[in-house]
Amino acid sequence: MTRTSLLFLPLLLAACDDGGSTYADAKLVKAARAGMMAVQGVPGGKTSTFTAVRLVGKTTVCGMIDGNDGDGPRAFSAQGQTVLVEDKRDPATKAAVDRACVGQPVHEIVSRNGQFTDLAVKH
């Protein structure tokens, strides 16, 4: 093994760590993380904490997020840069989130450290 190839070994190992032991799991986690980043980009998203995350299909991320504002967790869906967050005052927003989160396959994304910063796919 050459020195150049040894330099890239830690990068390869780091890419496989987040998401589990397989390349397929890592791809699912990468898609889920992209949706989570989109949710954090909406107003109030930076201070929110995720309480549940699942990947529906290949690109839709759904789950629950707690805005730490005293009114409990809210449902969300994110597809690309389109983010829907449940508004407790408007029941129609919950229905829109539910419609966006229909599909197959569903992969549950779990937190390995309890803070949704180290993710894995639940099997």
Side-chain angles (χ1 to χ4, degrees):
M1 206 179 262
T2 66
R3 283 188 179 185
T4 306
S5 61
L6 288 175
L7 291 174
F8 293 105
L9 186 60
L11 294 175
L12 180 62
L13 293 174
C16 292
D17 182 48
D18 192 24
S21 58
T22 67
Y23 178 72
D25 284 355
K27 283 177 48 177
L28 294 172
V29 166
K30 183 178 179 181
R33 190 176 299 284
M36 292 168 66
M37 295 299 286
V39 170
Q40 288 181 328
V42 300
K46 287 276 188 215
T47 60
S48 299
T49 54
F50 292 93
T51 58
V53 177
R54 65 188 183 283
L55 182 64
V56 179
K58 293 183 179 181
T59 59
T60 303
V61 180
C62 298
M64 300 295 284
I65 190 166
D66 190 345
N68 301 316
D69 52 5
D71 62 354
R74 300 169 186 249
F76 76 87
S77 71
Q79 185 172 19
Q81 295 301 313
T82 304
V83 177
L84 299 172
V85 178
E86 173 188 8
D87 183 349
K88 299 282 186 174
R89 297 166 294 192
D90 184 4
T93 59
K94 174 73 168 123
V97 169
D98 289 344
R99 279 192 305 275
C101 292
V102 173
Q104 293 292 330
V106 176
H107 301 280
E108 186 176 350
I109 307 298
V110 295
S111 174
R112 294 192 283 195
N113 63 358
Q115 301 168 348
F116 279 93
T117 56
D118 187 9
L119 305 176
V121 178
K122 183 177 180 182
H123 292 280

